[in-house]
Amino acid sequence: MVNLFLRVVRRREDGYHDLASLFHVIDLGDDMQFTQLPAGATSDKLVCSDPTIPHDDSNLVIKALNLFRRKTGVQAFFEVTLEKRVPHGAGLGGGSGNAATTLYAANELTGRPATNAQLLEWSGDIGSDISVFFSNGAAYCTGRGEVVDDVPPPLPLATPLLLVKPPVGLSTPMIFKSLDLGRRSTADPLQLLAGMTNAGKISPELCVNDLEQPAFDNLPELLQLKQRLIKEGGSAFDAVFMTGSGSTIVCVGDDTAPQFLSEEQYQQLFVSPARLIVRQPGAWYEHSSKAAAPAAVPAAAAAAAS
Ligand code: C5P
């Protein structure tokens, strides 16, 4: 998922921040497979392509399954395979997409004990930006990020995006902590939303992200990368901005990597084209590579959009 704009409204007493942000799900996602384990199973099994990801209760997939059982009372356990494609510390909500996909799949596989609205509400207990996945794919989010209002997609879904992320990721708590409230934008988030929706096009002035300041202070190379993308991307990009707490820079309007990214110093960058996506009511998100496949996502397999 990407944040087309992200305003930080205030610092709260519980350590979180109230946001006002336009989130959009994108087609870059991890692959997940779910199988319900036979009756008598007493724990879940998680098989992940990335050995650095914890397999215990701190994993968002396991947290989502524990939450699902606690809320529904359904004592089902699952084997989950997770093939990671979305980089960590990227501001792309990779882990959040995994958690949302897990809630959706567990609910499907156990005969839908919960409604979409319940899954959305419950998901706020384990993370701030999981709930958005239970929208249609485009949502204006407030509170910690878990108060979700569906909006019509502000841009044509065919709009090409290019995601560019340096190898170093950024820690979300650290970025929020080093935000200087005095250096935030003063733009009214509802005007940013109206500006994007009415124009059907975005411009740099609309793509405000208050977390760019702490991210760029912590990682000056990220600011340089953004500036080069603006300068050397030429007129190809309508807007270039950071998503979430970074460190991914989103370029809107073209998905061709500018020539300078082939320089030696940028060889370790994650560079990927992407598209904005929505989901059909009742269905889940699909990968771009599966766009040509039959429309229905099988209950046992789900593409975890990010
Ligand atoms: O909710 P989530 O686990 O995704 O948040 C990770 C961390 O990011 C929080 O512990 C908090 O430090 C920071 N955060 C915040 N305000 C938000 C969302 C996250 O300060 N709205």
Side-chain angles (χ1 to χ4, degrees):
M1 138 277 275
V2 294
N3 300 90
L4 294 174
F5 65 80
L6 191 163
R7 286 286 341 276
V8 177
V9 177
R10 70 179 184 107
R11 190 162 270 152
R12 303 174 8 164
E13 260 126 54
D14 61 6
Y16 282 88
H17 296 74
D18 278 333
L19 311 178
S21 178
L22 178 55
F23 282 73
H24 211 305
V25 180
I26 59 169
D27 64 352
L28 173 72
D30 301 325
D31 267 324
M32 299 186 82
Q33 306 279 336
F34 296 86
T35 315
Q36 188 171 343
L37 294 171
T42 53
S43 64
D44 301 302
K45 186 168 176 227
L46 175 63
V47 183
C48 180
S49 61
D50 180 345
T52 65
I53 287 184
H55 281 59
D56 59 12
D57 286 1
S58 69
N59 187 296
L60 271 171
V61 169
I62 305 296
K63 278 190 186 174
L65 292 173
N66 287 336
L67 177 79
F68 178 76
R69 284 185 286 266
R70 198 165 65 242
K71 294 286 190 181
T72 59
V74 174
Q75 280 312 299
F77 292 86
F78 301 87
E79 175 167 335
V80 183
T81 23
L82 169 58
E83 179 109 12
K84 291 298 290 180
R85 293 178 209 280
V86 182
H88 302 283
L92 293 170
S96 299
N98 295 162
T101 304
T102 301
L103 286 173
Y104 175 83
N107 196 47
E108 290 295 304
L109 289 175
T110 55
R112 293 197 194 139
T115 61
N116 186 72
Q118 285 174 311
L119 296 178
L120 187 157
E121 190 195 322
W122 300 341
S123 64
D125 287 4
I126 54 169
S128 305
D129 52 7
I130 302 173
S131 314
V132 63
F133 291 95
F134 296 100
S135 70
N136 65 20
Y140 180 66
C141 299
T142 51
R144 286 185 290 118
E146 88 290 14
V147 182
V148 172
D149 278 310
D150 273 271
V151 295
L155 302 175
L157 297 178
T159 305
L161 308 182
L162 184 74
L163 308 177
V164 183
K165 180 194 169 289
V168 47
L170 288 171
S171 137
T172 304
M174 184 272 284
I175 291 301
F176 272 105
K177 214 172 246 170
S178 46
L179 165 69
D180 176 352
L181 293 175
R183 287 162 67 198
R184 283 173 303 167
S185 158
T186 52
D188 176 345
L190 285 172
Q191 279 183 6
L192 296 176
L193 180 64
M196 249 178 228
T197 321
N198 297 341
K201 193 170 180 332
I202 59 177
S203 57
E205 305 75 54
L206 295 175
C207 298
V208 170
N209 183 347
D210 283 330
L211 298 177
E212 283 192 352
Q213 168 262 310
F216 294 163
D217 283 358
N218 278 285
L219 199 59
E221 311 89 275
L222 194 58
L223 174 60
Q224 282 159 21
L225 178 64
K226 179 185 169 187
Q227 288 170 337
R228 276 195 88 174
L229 285 163
I230 293 171
K231 202 161 143 240
E232 296 177 50
S235 55
F237 301 135
D238 298 318
V240 176
F241 52 90
M242 189 182 85
T243 178
S245 54
S247 58
T248 302
I249 303 289
V250 182
C251 309
V252 179
D254 196 356
D255 59 8
T256 322
Q259 189 60 40
F260 81 90
L261 290 177
S262 54
E263 287 172 15
E264 184 70 35
Q265 60 168 316
Y266 293 121
Q267 287 316 295
Q268 301 304 314
L269 253 58
F270 171 85
V271 181
S272 173
R275 293 289 183 276
L276 304 168
I277 54 170
V278 293
R279 65 178 177 133
Q280 300 311 312
W284 201 236
Y285 302 96
E286 292 190 47
H287 272 258
S288 52
S289 58
K290 294 184 181 157
V297 179
S306 84

